Amino acid sequence: MDLEKQIAQWPLIGEMSEQREVFWGNPRYGQEAECPFHREDIEDAAERLDRFAPYIQKAFPETEKMGGIIESPLREIPQMQKALGIEGRLFLKCDSHLPISGSVKARGGIYEILKLAETIAMEHGMLKTSDDYGQLTREPFQKLFSGYRVAVGSTGNLGLAIGIISAKLGFQVTVHMSRDARQWKKDLLREKGATVKEYSQDYQQAVAAGRAEAENDPLCHFVDDENSADLFLGYAASGKRLKKQLDAQEIKVDETHPLFVYLPCGVGGAPGGVTFGLKTYLGPHVHCIFAEPVHAPCMTLGLMTGLKDRIRVQDIGLDGKTEADGLAVGRCSSLAAGVMETMVQGCYTVQDEKLFSYLELLARQEQIRIEPSACAGFEGPLHMMYNDECEASHIVWATGGSMVPGEEMNAYVEKGRILRETREKEREI
Ligand SMILES: *Cc1c(COP(=O)(O)O)cnc(C)c1O
């Protein structure tokens, strides 16, 4: 079908093409639909992560206290809630502080490589599920994995997660980085022993390069951020874990206690997987909302039009360039969009400047520092405010930031502070 005609059907596209902020409520939310994944798939992923805990604990001593389980705290942020004027309780899911790679990618990305390692080791008769996986730190396994390659395309954080875990296991790993990727991420990856290739174009080009590298090499595993079921299920395992955290903190989720979860969205795998996990374990009273930059609203566009990965933000005149490097994606994942068609409550877009304002506010009110992409969720509760008998809880999913070098983080906070002061001055005039 003619794209222009398609676009003409959707009035919101006019606003989106002018980089204005929009909110899109999903008309198909809650409808029955076929889903390629089931609860057993998440259970399988969760069990695999448990089997690997002794390995993680040995290989990454920072995880020792948590017994080798890569998980983040759920923190209430009452000062931030007051500052934003949000009713109900406000929480931060601190994936920004996940061990090993400091972003949500430490869920899906690490899971996919662990599963790869397990599969290879089992094929060689060197590992059974009943074994102590702590032995994977030993020489024979390192030697085995060194005969295999891993390739991935990334705007930064996925590359970090894949690069760090792959190199640690002994794989030869190449990370193809898009123009949006920060220099410190490339430096860190090289330091960890990964090969980094840099590209002058966007995420799609970096992914295409990774795919091409793996295509003719049967010993090379390509981590396909746009289509990987393993990534998706690694993210989904968070649903089971969050249910436990909510129970432990006595946060109810039911008809009169709805839970709203705001997730920054790039290609859609991380927020999609988390949403699938939350819906599976918490049911109909958890509502997930995706946040995207006004310059790169690929999931909003893909879901609204029903075209999913067959439409790009460039098709409506946007450039896809944003300071939210983790969200700088022009075309959404068809896999994630397919599952989200009936599972995500809605999507909204947010201006880059606001990300820095939220970043600075969180640092000032709660002394928590997260990266710009991870701040997109703070705009969410403002769209959801409604007054009835319900006592709502809100979770902003902080998707990254703890590994950002201090100097760079200071510059982010400073940028947010200047923006705030400028706004305050304007108000006085
Ligand atoms: C990757 C990433 C996201 C979004 O994940 P997708 O799977 O690309 O949708 C959000 N925030 C940060 C910080 C990220 O690195």
Side-chain angles (χ1 to χ4, degrees), residues 232-244:
F232 193 85
L233 292 169
Y235 295 123
S238 66
K240 187 173 182 188
R241 305 244 189 100
L242 189 78
K243 167 133 179 48
K244 267 197 199 151

Side-chain angles (χ1 to χ4, degrees), residues 356 359-360 363 369-370 401 404-418:
F356 291 95
L359 187 153
E360 190 265 347
R369 294 176 157 216
I370 63 177
V404 175
E407 246 172 67
E408 196 144 329
M409 186 56 84
N410 288 342
Y412 289 154
V413 175
E414 183 61 14
K415 184 168 178 172
R417 194 183 60 78
I418 291 168

Side-chain angles (χ1 to χ4, degrees), residues 80-198:
M80 188 70 175
Q81 179 216 335
K82 272 195 211 111
L84 292 172
I86 293 165
E87 286 182 42
R89 297 172 75 181
L90 180 64
F91 298 86
L92 193 69
K93 180 60 176 161
C94 302
D95 277 10
S96 46
H97 291 70
L98 278 174
I100 302 177
S101 77
S103 85
V104 67
K105 307 299 192 307
R107 298 185 184 279
I110 290 178
Y111 173 72
E112 173 151 346
I113 301 303
L114 294 178
K115 186 174 171 197
L116 173 70
E118 184 185 62
T119 306
I120 293 171
M122 285 180 173
E123 278 169 6
H124 285 77
M126 291 167 68
L127 189 69
K128 301 188 300 296
T129 52
S130 56
D131 287 346
D132 174 3
Y133 280 33
Q135 65 176 306
L136 270 82
T137 54
R138 295 206 342 257
E139 163 69 22
F141 289 94
Q142 294 269 321
K143 190 156 170 262
L144 171 67
F145 299 140
S146 72
Y148 292 82
R149 282 169 290 285
V150 172
V152 65
S154 170
T155 63
N157 285 338
L158 182 64
L160 265 191
I162 299 292
I164 292 172
I165 186 67
S166 301
K168 183 66 92 177
L169 280 159
F171 290 107
Q172 301 173 52
V173 54
T174 306
V175 180
H176 301 264
M177 288 281 210
S178 68
R179 62 161 186 234
D180 314 278
R182 306 283 152 182
Q183 189 59 42
W184 67 266
K185 292 180 184 170
K186 301 175 198 167
D187 296 342
L188 181 64
L189 273 172
R190 291 189 171 117
E191 192 190 303
K192 300 274 181 193
T195 302
V196 178
K197 291 196 179 162
E198 302 176 52

